[in-house]
Amino acid sequence: LIASTTLTSFASVAMAADVPSPNQYYWPKGMNLAKLRAHDSESDPYGADYYTSYHKKFEQLNLQEVRKDIEKVMLTSQPWWPADYGNYGPFFIRMAWHNAGTYRAIDGRGGEEGAQQRFAQLNDWPDNASLDKAKRLLWPVKKKYGEKLSWGDLIVLTGDVALNQMGFKTLGFVGGRPDDWQSELIYWGPGTTFFPNKSSFQVGQNGTLKHPLAATHMGLIYVNPEGPNGDPDPVKSAAMIRLAFGRMAMNDEETVALIAGGHTFGKAHGAHPNSCLSGPPVANGVEHQGLGWADHCIKGTQTADDASTSGLEGSWSADPIHFTTQYIDNLLNNDWVLGTSPTGAHQWHTKTDDKIAPDPANPNDPSKMRPIMMFTTDIALKTDPVYHKILARWAEHPNEFADAFARAWFKLVVRDMGPKSRYFGSEVPKETFVWQDPINMPAKPINQADVRELRKLIAATGLSDRELIKTAWAAASSHRVTDHRGGANGGRLALMPQNGWAVNDPEELKAVLPKLEQVRDKFNAHSVRKVALADVIVLGGSVGIEDAAQKAGVKIQVPFAPGRGDATQEQTDVNSFNLLEPTADAFRNYYRADADNTPPLNAMVDKADTLGLTIPEMTVLLGGLRTLDINSGHSANGVLTKTPGVLTQDFFTNVLTMDTRWQKVAGQEDLYEGFDRATGQKLWTATDVDLVFGANPELRAAAEVYASDDAKAKFYNDFVKAWTKVMNLDRFDLQR
Ligand code: HEM
C-alpha cells in the first residue's frame, strides 16, 4: 500500500525550509486523504452555512447598480496596469474565460464556481499571467458588495458587462456561485514542469490525453497558441483544439464560436521577453502583495505598450473594443504568413502587413497604427475543413455567428453550475437547454401521508432490502458535487445510458425498476398528488435500510424528503450522461481496470470527493454498505459479516481484528484472502478498498471508532446521516 521511502523522492519535491512536510514528500505513493478534509466548512470565514445561504444574500443585490460599478472600473485606466485603448473589457473577458475554461466534462472539476483562479496553482499558471491584475482592478467592487457577491459571480458578471459594453448582446447573467476558500486539490496532470517547458505537454504520440485531463499542457487552460508544443502546424493545432475543447464539453460549432467571438476583442501582449519578468505571484516576495510577473524592463512611466503576458503581440481586429465580424473576415480574407512576435514567438501576419489596428497606448494617433496578427490556433480554424465551413457560413450570416457565440458563452460560464434550479438572479434566461439536464417536477407534490402509503406499497413489492438499497445507491451516487450533475432526481437510473452501466448490474435493475414503477403508477392512478419514480427509488432505500437495521434488533428512521421529479429520454443527452459513468465505486466494491483508471485507492478517495464526503462519512458509509451486501456483481469481497444484508458494525470489527491473517491472491492485482489465524480456515475475500481501513493509519483511526463496543448508536446514527446526505446531494431546494 505505502511505497517504501526512496532517496529520489526527496530530490523530486522541493520543499521550503522550516515548514512541516506532508507525508507525500517522503512517500510520494502514500495515500492522500486531504481532498476529503476540504469538505469540512471550518475554514470558511462566513461560517458553516455560507455554501447554502449565499444565494439569499446574492438575491439582495441590485444587479444594475453592480453593472454600473463594474463598467466604471472597466473604463478607468489605472497607472499600475494601464488599460489598452482605455478599456479593460477584453482583459476582463479573458479573465472570465480562463476561470470557466478549466471545466472538465469528464470529472466535472474546474469551472467558474469557487473562483479557484484566485488561488495557487491556477493563479500562478503561465496561462493566467497578468490576470492577477484583472482581479485587483475589481477589488473595489468586491469590497463594496462583500458577502452578497462572490468572486465567482463577480468574474462572470464582469465578463458579461464587458461584452455588453463593447456592443455584444449576451443571453443573460446567472448568479449563485459560492466561493471556495482554499486551493482545491485537483489532478491537473502528471508533470511537475509548467508550460512552456516541452515536458509539460500531456498529449501522447497518438493524440491521446489521459482521463480526466482536458488541457494539452500543464499550466495552460487548453492549448498552446503557437501550435502543439510550439510546432506552428495549423493542422495539428486543430486536432489539439478539438481535443481540449471537446473535454470542456464544447462541440465544433461552440468551439469556433468561442474562439472567433473571444478574439474579436483585445490583443496579445509581448512587449518584452520573458527574461524581463519575475515569477508568478506565488514565487514573488511579500512586497509584491500577491502580484506576479513584475516587469523589470519597463523604463519610466508604464504605458499600455509595455505589457508582456503571452509573448505574442498584436490584435486580431482593427477595432478591438467593439463586437464585429472582423476576426472572421480578417482570418478568411487574408493570406497569412508565419512569422514571429517581437519576443520570438510563432505568430502569423498578413502578406502586406497593413497598419490598420490602433496602438493600445495611443489609440487615436494614426501615426502609431499597427498590423493585425493571428495565432497558429486561429489559422487552425481556417485550415481545418469542418471549422472552416462553420466560419464561412458565419461570414455570410453574421447574425448566426452572434447567436452561436451568445449560446456558447452562456454554456461556458454556467456549465459547471449544474441544473437550472441552481441559477439565481433577475437575469436568468428563460430558455432551457438539454445540457442543463432538465427535470419535470410534478405539479402537485406528495405529502407525508402519501409517503406512509408509498412505504407500504414498496414493502409489498417483495423486493429485498438489498435490491432496494442498491437501487437507491445506484441512483443517488451518480451525483457529483464537482458540477452538480447526476443524482437520483430526474429518475434517470431508468433511462439510457444509466440503466446500462455495468456498475449498476443492468440485468438486476431490469427486474427491480418495473416493480418500483408499478408503485409509482399504482399511487398516481388514485391520487391528485403525483409521485416521481425518483422519489420511489430513494424512499425504497429508506425502507430497505430501516428493515436491515431492524434485523439487527435496532430501530432506526431514515429521513426521507419527497420532492423529486422525473426526466424523459429526450431530455437526457446520452453522450453527456455517459461521462458520469463510474469506472470505480468503492462503496459497491467496483473497479474497472481500464488503462486510464487511477489505482483503486485513489479512485475511492476520488469517488468520496465527488460525493462531497468527509473521511468519517466515507468510512461509515463504506463499512455499513458492505454489511448490507450491495456490491456490484453481487461480489462477496469485503462483505466481512456472517449476516450479509443486516446492518451491523461487523465490517469494522472484522477488518481490524488480529485474528485474521490476510494474504494476496497469487496472480490477482487487487484481491486478498483472510484466514483464521488459529484454524487456518478461509474466512473472507477482500480488495484494496476494504483492507485499507485496517492498513492506512488515518482510515484505521476512523474505523476504530465504528468498531468500538460503545459506538453502536453512533454507528447507526452516522450511517443514516451519511446515507441521507448522499440521497439529498441533488436536492438544491433543501439546501437553501
Ligand atoms: C487573448 C490564446 C481562446 C478570449 C489571448 C492571448 C492568448 C490567447 C495567448 C494573449 C494573452 C496576452 O498576451 O495578453 C487563446 C487560445 C485559444 C483562445 C490558444 C484557443 C484555441 C479564447 C476564447 C476566448 C478568448 C474561447 C473567449 C471566449 C480572449 C481575449 C483576449 C485573448 C478577449 C484578449 C485579452 C486582452 O486584450 O487582454 N488568447 N485564446 N480566447 N483571448 Fe484567447
Side-chain angles (χ1 to χ4, degrees):
L1 168 68
I2 308 288
S4 59
T5 310
T6 60
L7 280 177
T8 51
S9 70
F10 283 81
S12 64
V13 189
M15 292 298 299
D18 305 332
V19 293
S21 310
N23 287 343
Q24 273 66 41
Y25 171 53
Y26 303 105
W27 298 283
K29 289 188 180 160
M31 201 173 175
N32 189 348
L33 296 166
K35 276 207 259 198
L36 306 185
R37 295 206 171 86
H39 295 302
D40 210 322
S41 57
E42 290 291 301
S43 55
D44 176 344
Y46 284 132
D49 73 339
Y50 163 72
Y51 196 81
T52 49
S53 65
Y54 166 66
H55 311 103
K56 286 194 199 105
K57 308 253 163 55
F58 170 81
E59 297 242 287
Q60 295 165 14
L61 279 179
N62 175 344
L63 283 179
Q64 286 315 312
E65 186 191 331
V66 187
R67 281 180 177 277
K68 276 194 201 123
D69 290 336
I70 294 172
E71 197 170 303
K72 194 164 167 216
V73 167
M74 207 173 100
L75 300 176
T76 312
S77 184
Q78 300 293 339
W80 48 268
W81 189 259
D84 299 333
Y85 328 108
N87 190 330
Y88 291 113
F91 188 37
F92 285 164
I93 292 172
R94 178 171 160 253
M95 169 187 64
W97 141 239
H98 279 207
N99 204 37
T102 52
Y103 175 74
R104 303 193 301 216
I106 293 175
D107 66 356
R109 292 195 168 87
E112 294 280 4
E113 194 164 333
Q116 279 289 321
Q117 200 189 78
R118 293 174 297 149
F119 304 117
Q121 43 174 289
L122 297 191
N123 190 37
D124 301 271
W125 273 4
D127 217 8
N128 282 335
S130 305
L131 293 178
D132 49 348
K133 273 71 126 187
K135 292 182 289 283
R136 282 299 160 84
L137 287 164
L138 284 171
W139 165 238
V141 182
K142 171 66 187 140
K143 179 174 177 292
K144 178 172 173 188
Y145 296 102
E147 198 180 358
K148 295 192 200 74
L149 184 61
S150 66
W151 271 107
D153 280 343
L154 175 58
I155 288 172
V156 177
L157 182 58
T158 300
D160 203 76
V161 171
L163 287 164
N164 293 167
Q165 197 279 334
M166 295 189 290
F168 183 71
K169 195 167 165 1
T170 52
L171 288 195
F173 166 71
V174 166
R177 304 168 184 81
D179 277 338
D180 291 342
W181 303 98
Q182 57 188 314
S183 164
E184 205 181 342
L185 268 178
I186 294 183
Y187 175 71
W188 292 113
T192 49
T193 58
F194 290 106
F195 178 80
N197 193 308
K198 297 268 184 217
S199 64
S200 70
F201 194 48
Q202 326 202 94
V203 181
Q205 285 290 341
N206 46 1
T208 53
L209 180 58
K210 202 172 174 343
H211 277 214
L213 305 179
T216 58
H217 279 265
M218 185 75 177
L220 284 189
I221 314 288
Y222 32 94
V223 299
N224 185 343
E226 294 181 67
N229 223 357
D231 176 4
D233 179 336
V235 174
K236 289 186 192 150
S237 176
M240 292 300 112
I241 294 173
R242 192 163 275 120
L243 176 67
F245 278 72
R247 296 272 172 108
M248 215 186 282
M250 299 296 171
N251 63 25
D252 282 344
E253 184 154 324
E254 289 162 338
T255 303
V256 181
L258 283 172
I259 301 173
H263 288 176
T264 295
F265 303 106
K267 69 179 285 284
H269 301 85
H272 305 136
N274 261 345
S275 54
C276 288
L277 304 180
S278 76
V282 74
N284 268 351
V286 288
E287 72 278 17
H288 291 279
Q289 289 292 282
L291 294 182
W293 303 287
D295 189 336
H296 59 78
C297 295
I298 296 177
K299 306 278 178 259
T301 310
Q302 183 172 346
T303 72
D305 284 337
D306 285 318
S308 298
T309 298
S310 60
L312 294 115
E313 176 58 46
S315 67
W316 299 263
S317 143
D319 186 4
I321 53 169
H322 288 106
F323 181 69
T324 63
T325 53
Q326 279 196 35
Y327 172 90
I328 297 180
D329 300 337
N330 289 343
L331 182 60
L332 296 186
N333 300 339
N334 282 295
D335 288 328
W336 292 92
V337 185
L338 182 62
T340 53
S341 74
T343 65
H346 294 303
Q347 66 180 45
W348 301 64
H349 60 98
T350 62
K351 271 195 178 146
T352 46
D353 252 348
D354 296 336
K355 294 188 173 168
I356 57 169
D359 178 276
N362 309 281
N364 300 319
D365 185 343
S367 71
K368 298 219 161 147
M369 299 290 270
R370 299 162 164 221
I372 51 170
M373 60 90 224
M374 292 280 161
F375 299 158
T376 300
T377 44
D378 300 307
I379 303 297
L381 301 186
K382 186 176 179 180
T383 313
D384 181 89
V386 180
Y387 290 154
H388 187 133
K389 211 168 148 195
I390 296 168
L391 283 175
R393 173 159 49 87
W394 289 341
E396 295 295 314
H397 305 282
N399 288 345
E400 283 183 29
F401 165 51
D403 185 57
F405 180 43
R407 286 163 183 274
W409 177 264
F410 182 72
K411 179 175 175 184
L412 175 77
V413 294
V414 302
R415 183 76 190 90
D416 65 324
M417 288 183 77
K420 232 176 156 177
S421 55
R422 292 191 76 249
Y423 297 3
F424 286 84
S426 49
E427 301 182 7
V428 176
K430 295 227 164 18
E431 195 174 346
T432 297
F433 304 96
V434 72
W435 54 261
Q436 290 165 333
D437 305 338
I439 294 172
N440 309 310
M441 300 308 289
K444 286 194 176 157
I446 54 171
N447 60 29
Q448 284 303 329
D450 299 330
V451 172
R452 282 193 288 279
E453 183 193 336
L454 283 161
R455 279 174 176 275
K456 286 189 193 136
L457 289 174
I458 291 170
T461 56
L463 289 169
S464 66
D465 296 342
R466 213 188 114 253
E467 287 168 322
L468 290 171
I469 299 164
K470 191 170 166 179
T471 305
W473 179 264
S477 69
S478 66
H479 185 76
R480 51 188 203 189
V481 297
T482 50
D483 61 356
H484 313 281
R485 298 189 66 206
N489 207 356
R492 287 190 162 94
L493 181 64
L495 303 177
M496 289 185 305
Q498 223 161 314
N499 59 4
W501 291 348
V503 65
N504 290 340
D505 289 328
E507 286 308 312
E508 207 174 295
L509 261 191
K510 248 188 233 161
V512 173
L513 284 175
K515 295 194 177 166
L516 295 176
E517 280 162 354
Q518 278 165 21
V519 169
R520 175 196 61 190
D521 297 343
K522 207 164 171 181
F523 177 87
N524 287 346
H526 74 74
S527 169
V528 283
R529 291 172 302 280
K530 303 294 175 196
V531 70
L533 178 65
D535 261 351
V536 178
I537 289 174
V538 175
L539 183 60
S542 299
V543 170
I545 290 173
E546 286 166 14
D547 193 56
Q550 184 73 53
K551 285 178 183 152
V554 179
K555 198 167 165 41
I556 56 170
Q557 262 221 317
V558 181
F560 170 73
R564 293 170 183 81
D566 287 337
T568 62
Q569 191 64 61
E570 293 67 46
Q571 291 169 316
T572 308
D573 178 349
V574 170
N575 286 336
S576 155
F577 260 92
N578 257 333
L579 297 173
L580 271 62
E581 180 179 6
T583 51
D585 179 2
F587 299 93
R588 286 180 278 181
N589 225 335
Y590 177 80
Y591 182 78
R592 217 166 66 192
D594 292 0
D596 247 4
N597 215 350
T598 184
L601 297 180
N602 291 353
M604 174 175 82
V605 175
D606 196 66
K607 178 76 185 166
D609 183 40
T610 55
L611 292 173
L613 299 176
T614 60
I615 294 169
E617 286 167 344
M618 173 180 81
T619 305
V620 75
L621 255 180
L622 188 140
L625 289 176
R626 284 294 186 278
T627 64
L628 291 170
D629 195 22
I630 67 147
N631 280 349
S632 253
H634 207 173
S635 116
N637 296 337
V639 184
L640 310 183
T641 176
K642 295 287 174 212
T643 55
V646 182
L647 184 61
T648 63
Q649 294 165 276
D650 286 0
F651 173 83
F652 298 109
T653 45
N654 286 323
V655 81
L656 298 184
T657 181
M658 287 309 295
D659 294 341
T660 306
R661 177 179 58 81
W662 289 99
Q663 187 178 308
K664 207 168 180 13
V665 175
Q668 298 261 12
E669 249 321 297
D670 178 28
L671 193 63
Y672 306 82
E673 288 172 337
F675 300 91
D676 187 316
R677 265 189 216 277
T679 64
Q681 187 199 345
K682 185 175 140 190
L683 298 173
W684 326 106
T685 57
T687 65
D688 279 331
V689 297
D690 301 308
L691 296 192
V692 74
F693 287 90
N696 177 284
E698 292 172 14
L699 291 181
R700 190 176 177 98
E704 283 172 355
V705 171
Y706 294 114
S708 296
D709 296 347
D710 63 356
K712 191 167 172 180
K714 182 174 175 55
F715 165 74
Y716 285 99
N717 276 339
D718 290 4
F719 179 83
V720 169
K721 245 172 117 176
W723 169 270
T724 311
K725 175 172 170 175
V726 174
M727 293 303 122
N728 291 339
L729 280 176
D730 57 1
R731 293 298 304 280
F732 312 113
D733 52 326
L734 302 176
Q735 295 165 18
R736 266 163 236 150

